PDB file of all heavy atoms in Angstrom:
ATOM      1  N   ILE S   1       9.780   7.235  -9.807  1.00 85.00           N
ATOM      2  CA  ILE S   1       9.454   7.378 -11.244  1.00 85.00           C
ATOM      3  C   ILE S   1      10.344   8.451 -11.886  1.00 85.00           C
ATOM      4  O   ILE S   1      10.686   8.383 -13.066  1.00 85.00           O
ATOM      5  CB  ILE S   1       7.969   7.668 -11.462  1.00 85.00           C
ATOM      6  CG1 ILE S   1       7.568   7.359 -12.906  1.00 85.00           C
ATOM      7  CG2 ILE S   1       7.630   9.102 -11.099  1.00 85.00           C
ATOM      8  CD1 ILE S   1       6.087   7.315 -13.146  1.00 85.00           C
ATOM      9  N   LYS S   2      10.779   9.409 -11.072  1.00 81.00           N
ATOM     10  CA  LYS S   2      11.656  10.482 -11.574  1.00 81.00           C
ATOM     11  C   LYS S   2      13.027   9.921 -11.947  1.00 81.00           C
ATOM     12  O   LYS S   2      13.607  10.247 -12.991  1.00 81.00           O
ATOM     13  CB  LYS S   2      11.782  11.589 -10.547  1.00 81.00           C
ATOM     14  CG  LYS S   2      12.742  12.701 -10.943  1.00 81.00           C
ATOM     15  CD  LYS S   2      12.830  13.752  -9.834  1.00 81.00           C
ATOM     16  CE  LYS S   2      13.858  14.832 -10.192  1.00 81.00           C
ATOM     17  NZ  LYS S   2      13.975  15.823  -9.087  1.00 81.00           N
ATOM     18  N   HIS S   3      13.564   9.071 -11.068  1.00 84.00           N
ATOM     19  CA  HIS S   3      14.926   8.586 -11.261  1.00 84.00           C
ATOM     20  C   HIS S   3      14.980   7.235 -11.991  1.00 84.00           C
ATOM     21  O   HIS S   3      15.895   7.008 -12.795  1.00 84.00           O
ATOM     22  CB  HIS S   3      15.639   8.454  -9.921  1.00 84.00           C
ATOM     23  CG  HIS S   3      15.801   9.768  -9.223  1.00 84.00           C
ATOM     24  ND1 HIS S   3      16.691  10.735  -9.665  1.00 84.00           N
ATOM     25  CD2 HIS S   3      15.222  10.294  -8.096  1.00 84.00           C
ATOM     26  CE1 HIS S   3      16.613  11.803  -8.852  1.00 84.00           C
ATOM     27  NE2 HIS S   3      15.726  11.528  -7.893  1.00 84.00           N
ATOM     28  N   ASN S   4      14.049   6.337 -11.691  1.00 82.00           N
ATOM     29  CA  ASN S   4      14.086   5.006 -12.304  1.00 82.00           C
ATOM     30  C   ASN S   4      13.215   4.864 -13.544  1.00 82.00           C
ATOM     31  O   ASN S   4      13.407   3.959 -14.364  1.00 82.00           O
ATOM     32  CB  ASN S   4      13.684   3.953 -11.276  1.00 82.00           C
ATOM     33  CG  ASN S   4      14.630   3.925 -10.076  1.00 82.00           C
ATOM     34  OD1 ASN S   4      15.829   4.148 -10.223  1.00 82.00           O
ATOM     35  ND2 ASN S   4      14.096   3.658  -8.893  1.00 82.00           N
ATOM     36  N   LYS S   5      12.189   5.714 -13.646  1.00 83.00           N
ATOM     37  CA  LYS S   5      11.295   5.757 -14.793  1.00 83.00           C
ATOM     38  C   LYS S   5      10.596   4.421 -15.066  1.00 83.00           C
ATOM     39  O   LYS S   5      10.350   4.030 -16.212  1.00 83.00           O
ATOM     40  CB  LYS S   5      12.033   6.230 -16.045  1.00 83.00           C
ATOM     41  CG  LYS S   5      12.552   7.652 -15.915  1.00 83.00           C
ATOM     42  CD  LYS S   5      13.305   8.085 -17.158  1.00 83.00           C
ATOM     43  CE  LYS S   5      13.692   9.550 -17.062  1.00 83.00           C
ATOM     44  NZ  LYS S   5      14.530   9.854 -15.878  1.00 83.00           N
ATOM     45  N   VAL S   6      10.301   3.672 -13.946  1.00 87.00           N
ATOM     46  CA  VAL S   6       9.569   2.389 -14.084  1.00 87.00           C
ATOM     47  C   VAL S   6       8.487   2.340 -13.007  1.00 87.00           C
ATOM     48  O   VAL S   6       8.583   2.992 -11.973  1.00 87.00           O
ATOM     49  CB  VAL S   6      10.501   1.182 -13.952  1.00 87.00           C
ATOM     50  CG1 VAL S   6      11.508   1.144 -15.101  1.00 87.00           C
ATOM     51  CG2 VAL S   6      11.184   1.153 -12.612  1.00 87.00           C
ATOM     52  N   LEU S   7       7.470   1.536 -13.318  1.00 89.00           N
ATOM     53  CA  LEU S   7       6.423   1.244 -12.336  1.00 89.00           C
ATOM     54  C   LEU S   7       6.206  -0.275 -12.313  1.00 89.00           C
ATOM     55  O   LEU S   7       6.276  -0.933 -13.347  1.00 89.00           O
ATOM     56  CB  LEU S   7       5.118   1.922 -12.701  1.00 89.00           C
ATOM     57  CG  LEU S   7       4.973   3.412 -12.437  1.00 89.00           C
ATOM     58  CD1 LEU S   7       3.674   3.920 -13.016  1.00 89.00           C
ATOM     59  CD2 LEU S   7       5.042   3.714 -10.947  1.00 89.00           C
ATOM     60  N   HIS S   8       5.942  -0.825 -11.140  1.00 90.00           N
ATOM     61  CA  HIS S   8       5.612  -2.236 -11.031  1.00 90.00           C
ATOM     62  C   HIS S   8       4.206  -2.472 -11.595  1.00 90.00           C
ATOM     63  O   HIS S   8       3.365  -1.549 -11.681  1.00 90.00           O
ATOM     64  CB  HIS S   8       5.717  -2.711  -9.588  1.00 90.00           C
ATOM     65  CG  HIS S   8       7.123  -2.828  -9.082  1.00 90.00           C
ATOM     66  ND1 HIS S   8       7.909  -1.738  -8.849  1.00 90.00           N
ATOM     67  CD2 HIS S   8       7.888  -3.925  -8.816  1.00 90.00           C
ATOM     68  CE1 HIS S   8       9.113  -2.127  -8.408  1.00 90.00           C
ATOM     69  NE2 HIS S   8       9.101  -3.468  -8.404  1.00 90.00           N
ATOM     70  N   GLU S   9       3.923  -3.731 -11.918  1.00 90.00           N
ATOM     71  CA  GLU S   9       2.599  -4.068 -12.435  1.00 90.00           C
ATOM     72  C   GLU S   9       1.499  -3.705 -11.452  1.00 90.00           C
ATOM     73  O   GLU S   9       0.410  -3.280 -11.820  1.00 90.00           O
ATOM     74  CB  GLU S   9       2.526  -5.557 -12.760  1.00 90.00           C
ATOM     75  CG  GLU S   9       3.327  -5.966 -13.988  1.00 90.00           C
ATOM     76  CD  GLU S   9       3.284  -7.454 -14.230  1.00 90.00           C
ATOM     77  OE1 GLU S   9       3.044  -8.229 -13.266  1.00 90.00           O
ATOM     78  OE2 GLU S   9       3.509  -7.863 -15.362  1.00 90.00           O
ATOM     79  N   ARG S  10       1.793  -3.921 -10.157  1.00 91.00           N
ATOM     80  CA  ARG S  10       0.830  -3.557  -9.109  1.00 91.00           C
ATOM     81  C   ARG S  10       1.494  -2.561  -8.198  1.00 91.00           C
ATOM     82  O   ARG S  10       2.542  -2.830  -7.597  1.00 91.00           O
ATOM     83  CB  ARG S  10       0.345  -4.766  -8.352  1.00 91.00           C
ATOM     84  CG  ARG S  10      -0.648  -4.415  -7.261  1.00 91.00           C
ATOM     85  CD  ARG S  10      -1.322  -5.638  -6.654  1.00 91.00           C
ATOM     86  NE  ARG S  10      -0.396  -6.589  -6.058  1.00 91.00           N
ATOM     87  CZ  ARG S  10      -0.763  -7.647  -5.350  1.00 91.00           C
ATOM     88  NH1 ARG S  10      -2.061  -7.888  -5.150  1.00 91.00           N
ATOM     89  NH2 ARG S  10       0.134  -8.478  -4.858  1.00 91.00           N
ATOM     90  N   VAL S  11       0.896  -1.387  -8.059  1.00 92.00           N
ATOM     91  CA  VAL S  11       1.416  -0.328  -7.196  1.00 92.00           C
ATOM     92  C   VAL S  11       0.420  -0.111  -6.069  1.00 92.00           C
ATOM     93  O   VAL S  11      -0.764   0.191  -6.311  1.00 92.00           O
ATOM     94  CB  VAL S  11       1.636   0.984  -7.977  1.00 92.00           C
ATOM     95  CG1 VAL S  11       2.110   2.094  -7.025  1.00 92.00           C
ATOM     96  CG2 VAL S  11       2.646   0.785  -9.090  1.00 92.00           C
ATOM     97  N   VAL S  12       0.877  -0.265  -4.839  1.00 92.00           N
ATOM     98  CA  VAL S  12       0.026  -0.106  -3.648  1.00 92.00           C
ATOM     99  C   VAL S  12       0.540   1.080  -2.816  1.00 92.00           C
ATOM    100  O   VAL S  12       1.720   1.130  -2.452  1.00 92.00           O
ATOM    101  CB  VAL S  12       0.039  -1.377  -2.786  1.00 92.00           C
ATOM    102  CG1 VAL S  12      -0.759  -1.143  -1.482  1.00 92.00           C
ATOM    103  CG2 VAL S  12      -0.553  -2.543  -3.554  1.00 92.00           C
ATOM    104  N   VAL S  13      -0.345   2.033  -2.573  1.00 92.00           N
ATOM    105  CA  VAL S  13      -0.042   3.123  -1.660  1.00 92.00           C
ATOM    106  C   VAL S  13      -0.635   2.746  -0.309  1.00 92.00           C
ATOM    107  O   VAL S  13      -1.837   2.606  -0.168  1.00 92.00           O
ATOM    108  CB  VAL S  13      -0.625   4.473  -2.147  1.00 92.00           C
ATOM    109  CG1 VAL S  13      -0.335   5.575  -1.139  1.00 92.00           C
ATOM    110  CG2 VAL S  13      -0.019   4.835  -3.516  1.00 92.00           C
ATOM    111  N   LEU S  14       0.234   2.519   0.662  1.00 93.00           N
ATOM    112  CA  LEU S  14      -0.196   1.953   1.957  1.00 93.00           C
ATOM    113  C   LEU S  14      -0.071   2.986   3.064  1.00 93.00           C
ATOM    114  O   LEU S  14       0.986   3.589   3.251  1.00 93.00           O
ATOM    115  CB  LEU S  14       0.683   0.744   2.303  1.00 93.00           C
ATOM    116  CG  LEU S  14       0.447   0.096   3.662  1.00 93.00           C
ATOM    117  CD1 LEU S  14      -0.961  -0.471   3.765  1.00 93.00           C
ATOM    118  CD2 LEU S  14       1.477  -0.990   3.931  1.00 93.00           C
ATOM    119  N   THR S  15      -1.158   3.179   3.777  1.00 92.00           N
ATOM    120  CA  THR S  15      -1.175   4.095   4.947  1.00 92.00           C
ATOM    121  C   THR S  15      -1.529   3.275   6.177  1.00 92.00           C
ATOM    122  O   THR S  15      -2.471   2.507   6.166  1.00 92.00           O
ATOM    123  CB  THR S  15      -2.205   5.212   4.751  1.00 92.00           C
ATOM    124  OG1 THR S  15      -1.857   5.968   3.603  1.00 92.00           O
ATOM    125  CG2 THR S  15      -2.243   6.129   5.967  1.00 92.00           C
ATOM    126  N   VAL S  16      -0.744   3.451   7.237  1.00 92.00           N
ATOM    127  CA  VAL S  16      -0.996   2.788   8.506  1.00 92.00           C
ATOM    128  C   VAL S  16      -1.594   3.828   9.458  1.00 92.00           C
ATOM    129  O   VAL S  16      -0.976   4.876   9.694  1.00 92.00           O
ATOM    130  CB  VAL S  16       0.278   2.170   9.100  1.00 92.00           C
ATOM    131  CG1 VAL S  16      -0.008   1.586  10.474  1.00 92.00           C
ATOM    132  CG2 VAL S  16       0.844   1.120   8.176  1.00 92.00           C
ATOM    133  N   LEU S  17      -2.753   3.566   9.983  1.00 91.00           N
ATOM    134  CA  LEU S  17      -3.404   4.472  10.915  1.00 91.00           C
ATOM    135  C   LEU S  17      -3.496   3.833  12.295  1.00 91.00           C
ATOM    136  O   LEU S  17      -3.864   2.666  12.406  1.00 91.00           O
ATOM    137  CB  LEU S  17      -4.818   4.833  10.430  1.00 91.00           C
ATOM    138  CG  LEU S  17      -4.930   5.606   9.117  1.00 91.00           C
ATOM    139  CD1 LEU S  17      -6.387   5.856   8.778  1.00 91.00           C
ATOM    140  CD2 LEU S  17      -4.185   6.938   9.206  1.00 91.00           C
ATOM    141  N   ILE S  18      -3.178   4.603  13.308  1.00 88.00           N
ATOM    142  CA  ILE S  18      -3.355   4.135  14.679  1.00 88.00           C
ATOM    143  C   ILE S  18      -4.600   4.786  15.239  1.00 88.00           C
ATOM    144  O   ILE S  18      -4.690   5.999  15.314  1.00 88.00           O
ATOM    145  CB  ILE S  18      -2.141   4.506  15.559  1.00 88.00           C
ATOM    146  CG1 ILE S  18      -0.866   3.958  14.919  1.00 88.00           C
ATOM    147  CG2 ILE S  18      -2.329   3.971  16.964  1.00 88.00           C
ATOM    148  CD1 ILE S  18      -0.897   2.475  14.672  1.00 88.00           C
ATOM    149  N   GLU S  19      -5.569   3.960  15.582  1.00 87.00           N
ATOM    150  CA  GLU S  19      -6.843   4.456  16.092  1.00 87.00           C
ATOM    151  C   GLU S  19      -6.756   4.697  17.593  1.00 87.00           C
ATOM    152  O   GLU S  19      -5.862   4.187  18.281  1.00 87.00           O
ATOM    153  CB  GLU S  19      -7.956   3.453  15.781  1.00 87.00           C
ATOM    154  CG  GLU S  19      -8.105   3.107  14.308  1.00 87.00           C
ATOM    155  CD  GLU S  19      -8.564   4.271  13.473  1.00 87.00           C
ATOM    156  OE1 GLU S  19      -8.978   5.311  14.053  1.00 87.00           O
ATOM    157  OE2 GLU S  19      -8.513   4.182  12.230  1.00 87.00           O
ATOM    158  N   GLU S  20      -7.693   5.461  18.089  1.00 84.00           N
ATOM    159  CA  GLU S  20      -7.683   5.821  19.512  1.00 84.00           C
ATOM    160  C   GLU S  20      -8.455   4.788  20.340  1.00 84.00           C
ATOM    161  O   GLU S  20      -9.224   5.125  21.242  1.00 84.00           O
ATOM    162  CB  GLU S  20      -8.243   7.237  19.689  1.00 84.00           C
ATOM    163  CG  GLU S  20      -7.291   8.245  19.075  1.00 84.00           C
ATOM    164  CD  GLU S  20      -7.804   9.668  19.144  1.00 84.00           C
ATOM    165  OE1 GLU S  20      -9.036   9.849  19.127  1.00 84.00           O
ATOM    166  OE2 GLU S  20      -6.986  10.599  19.208  1.00 84.00           O
ATOM    167  N   VAL S  21      -8.275   3.528  19.978  1.00 86.00           N
ATOM    168  CA  VAL S  21      -8.783   2.400  20.742  1.00 86.00           C
ATOM    169  C   VAL S  21      -7.608   1.434  20.920  1.00 86.00           C
ATOM    170  O   VAL S  21      -6.696   1.411  20.081  1.00 86.00           O
ATOM    171  CB  VAL S  21      -9.967   1.683  20.040  1.00 86.00           C
ATOM    172  CG1 VAL S  21     -11.202   2.550  20.030  1.00 86.00           C
ATOM    173  CG2 VAL S  21      -9.576   1.277  18.631  1.00 86.00           C
ATOM    174  N   PRO S  22      -7.590   0.621  21.970  1.00 86.00           N
ATOM    175  CA  PRO S  22      -6.434  -0.271  22.166  1.00 86.00           C
ATOM    176  C   PRO S  22      -6.319  -1.360  21.102  1.00 86.00           C
ATOM    177  O   PRO S  22      -5.219  -1.744  20.716  1.00 86.00           O
ATOM    178  CB  PRO S  22      -6.671  -0.857  23.558  1.00 86.00           C
ATOM    179  CG  PRO S  22      -8.086  -0.551  23.933  1.00 86.00           C
ATOM    180  CD  PRO S  22      -8.493   0.619  23.129  1.00 86.00           C
ATOM    181  N   TYR S  23      -7.468  -1.880  20.628  1.00 88.00           N
ATOM    182  CA  TYR S  23      -7.436  -2.948  19.624  1.00 88.00           C
ATOM    183  C   TYR S  23      -8.495  -2.665  18.583  1.00 88.00           C
ATOM    184  O   TYR S  23      -9.606  -2.248  18.909  1.00 88.00           O
ATOM    185  CB  TYR S  23      -7.703  -4.323  20.281  1.00 88.00           C
ATOM    186  CG  TYR S  23      -6.671  -4.696  21.310  1.00 88.00           C
ATOM    187  CD1 TYR S  23      -6.853  -4.379  22.643  1.00 88.00           C
ATOM    188  CD2 TYR S  23      -5.496  -5.341  20.921  1.00 88.00           C
ATOM    189  CE1 TYR S  23      -5.894  -4.681  23.593  1.00 88.00           C
ATOM    190  CE2 TYR S  23      -4.545  -5.680  21.868  1.00 88.00           C
ATOM    191  CZ  TYR S  23      -4.746  -5.351  23.195  1.00 88.00           C
ATOM    192  OH  TYR S  23      -3.775  -5.647  24.134  1.00 88.00           O
ATOM    193  N   VAL S  24      -8.173  -2.946  17.329  1.00 90.00           N
ATOM    194  CA  VAL S  24      -9.120  -2.759  16.224  1.00 90.00           C
ATOM    195  C   VAL S  24      -9.675  -4.125  15.846  1.00 90.00           C
ATOM    196  O   VAL S  24      -8.915  -5.103  15.709  1.00 90.00           O
ATOM    197  CB  VAL S  24      -8.408  -2.118  15.003  1.00 90.00           C
ATOM    198  CG1 VAL S  24      -9.289  -2.181  13.760  1.00 90.00           C
ATOM    199  CG2 VAL S  24      -8.039  -0.670  15.323  1.00 90.00           C
ATOM    200  N   PRO S  25     -10.981  -4.260  15.687  1.00 90.00           N
ATOM    201  CA  PRO S  25     -11.573  -5.562  15.288  1.00 90.00           C
ATOM    202  C   PRO S  25     -10.989  -6.014  13.967  1.00 90.00           C
ATOM    203  O   PRO S  25     -10.675  -5.214  13.068  1.00 90.00           O
ATOM    204  CB  PRO S  25     -13.057  -5.239  15.155  1.00 90.00           C
ATOM    205  CG  PRO S  25     -13.277  -3.999  15.938  1.00 90.00           C
ATOM    206  CD  PRO S  25     -12.013  -3.237  15.867  1.00 90.00           C
ATOM    207  N   GLU S  26     -10.828  -7.333  13.814  1.00 88.00           N
ATOM    208  CA  GLU S  26     -10.231  -7.868  12.600  1.00 88.00           C
ATOM    209  C   GLU S  26     -10.977  -7.462  11.328  1.00 88.00           C
ATOM    210  O   GLU S  26     -10.376  -7.216  10.301  1.00 88.00           O
ATOM    211  CB  GLU S  26     -10.188  -9.399  12.702  1.00 88.00           C
ATOM    212  CG  GLU S  26      -9.389  -9.950  13.869  1.00 88.00           C
ATOM    213  CD  GLU S  26      -7.917  -9.583  13.790  1.00 88.00           C
ATOM    214  OE1 GLU S  26      -7.434  -9.293  12.690  1.00 88.00           O
ATOM    215  OE2 GLU S  26      -7.250  -9.586  14.833  1.00 88.00           O
ATOM    216  N   ILE S  27     -12.282  -7.344  11.449  1.00 89.00           N
ATOM    217  CA  ILE S  27     -13.104  -7.031  10.267  1.00 89.00           C
ATOM    218  C   ILE S  27     -12.860  -5.621   9.776  1.00 89.00           C
ATOM    219  O   ILE S  27     -13.139  -5.271   8.617  1.00 89.00           O
ATOM    220  CB  ILE S  27     -14.603  -7.260  10.575  1.00 89.00           C
ATOM    221  CG1 ILE S  27     -15.402  -7.329   9.292  1.00 89.00           C
ATOM    222  CG2 ILE S  27     -15.129  -6.171  11.517  1.00 89.00           C
ATOM    223  CD1 ILE S  27     -16.833  -7.733   9.470  1.00 89.00           C
ATOM    224  N   LYS S  28     -12.292  -4.757  10.643  1.00 90.00           N
ATOM    225  CA  LYS S  28     -12.037  -3.368  10.259  1.00 90.00           C
ATOM    226  C   LYS S  28     -10.539  -3.094  10.093  1.00 90.00           C
ATOM    227  O   LYS S  28     -10.124  -1.950  10.009  1.00 90.00           O
ATOM    228  CB  LYS S  28     -12.631  -2.402  11.289  1.00 90.00           C
ATOM    229  CG  LYS S  28     -14.149  -2.497  11.377  1.00 90.00           C
ATOM    230  CD  LYS S  28     -14.716  -1.414  12.245  1.00 90.00           C
ATOM    231  CE  LYS S  28     -16.246  -1.494  12.246  1.00 90.00           C
ATOM    232  NZ  LYS S  28     -16.863  -0.432  13.053  1.00 90.00           N
ATOM    233  N   ARG S  29      -9.754  -4.154  10.052  1.00 91.00           N
ATOM    234  CA  ARG S  29      -8.294  -3.997   9.961  1.00 91.00           C
ATOM    235  C   ARG S  29      -7.854  -3.375   8.650  1.00 91.00           C
ATOM    236  O   ARG S  29      -7.021  -2.477   8.624  1.00 91.00           O
ATOM    237  CB  ARG S  29      -7.631  -5.355  10.115  1.00 91.00           C
ATOM    238  CG  ARG S  29      -6.125  -5.364   9.957  1.00 91.00           C
ATOM    239  CD  ARG S  29      -5.435  -4.828  11.176  1.00 91.00           C
ATOM    240  NE  ARG S  29      -5.573  -5.779  12.262  1.00 91.00           N
ATOM    241  CZ  ARG S  29      -5.527  -5.450  13.547  1.00 91.00           C
ATOM    242  NH1 ARG S  29      -5.415  -4.191  13.893  1.00 91.00           N
ATOM    243  NH2 ARG S  29      -5.672  -6.342  14.511  1.00 91.00           N
ATOM    244  N   VAL S  30      -8.398  -3.847   7.513  1.00 92.00           N
ATOM    245  CA  VAL S  30      -7.875  -3.473   6.205  1.00 92.00           C
ATOM    246  C   VAL S  30      -8.997  -2.880   5.334  1.00 92.00           C
ATOM    247  O   VAL S  30     -10.100  -3.447   5.268  1.00 92.00           O
ATOM    248  CB  VAL S  30      -7.273  -4.688   5.468  1.00 92.00           C
ATOM    249  CG1 VAL S  30      -6.680  -4.249   4.132  1.00 92.00           C
ATOM    250  CG2 VAL S  30      -6.197  -5.320   6.335  1.00 92.00           C
ATOM    251  N   ALA S  31      -8.720  -1.768   4.701  1.00 91.00           N
ATOM    252  CA  ALA S  31      -9.638  -1.186   3.714  1.00 91.00           C
ATOM    253  C   ALA S  31      -8.881  -1.031   2.403  1.00 91.00           C
ATOM    254  O   ALA S  31      -7.767  -0.462   2.381  1.00 91.00           O
ATOM    255  CB  ALA S  31     -10.159   0.145   4.194  1.00 91.00           C
ATOM    256  N   VAL S  32      -9.448  -1.519   1.309  1.00 91.00           N
ATOM    257  CA  VAL S  32      -8.788  -1.504  -0.002  1.00 91.00           C
ATOM    258  C   VAL S  32      -9.607  -0.673  -0.982  1.00 91.00           C
ATOM    259  O   VAL S  32     -10.838  -0.846  -1.099  1.00 91.00           O
ATOM    260  CB  VAL S  32      -8.625  -2.933  -0.555  1.00 91.00           C
ATOM    261  CG1 VAL S  32      -7.921  -2.890  -1.926  1.00 91.00           C
ATOM    262  CG2 VAL S  32      -7.831  -3.798   0.409  1.00 91.00           C
TER     263      VAL S  32
END
């Protein structure tokens, strides 16, 4: 935004977390 001074219609801030279990259940994969 400092250099281009534009924003998309939808802006998503995405964080990837690695849990201390080997596999995460599908139902807990994504939080919005």
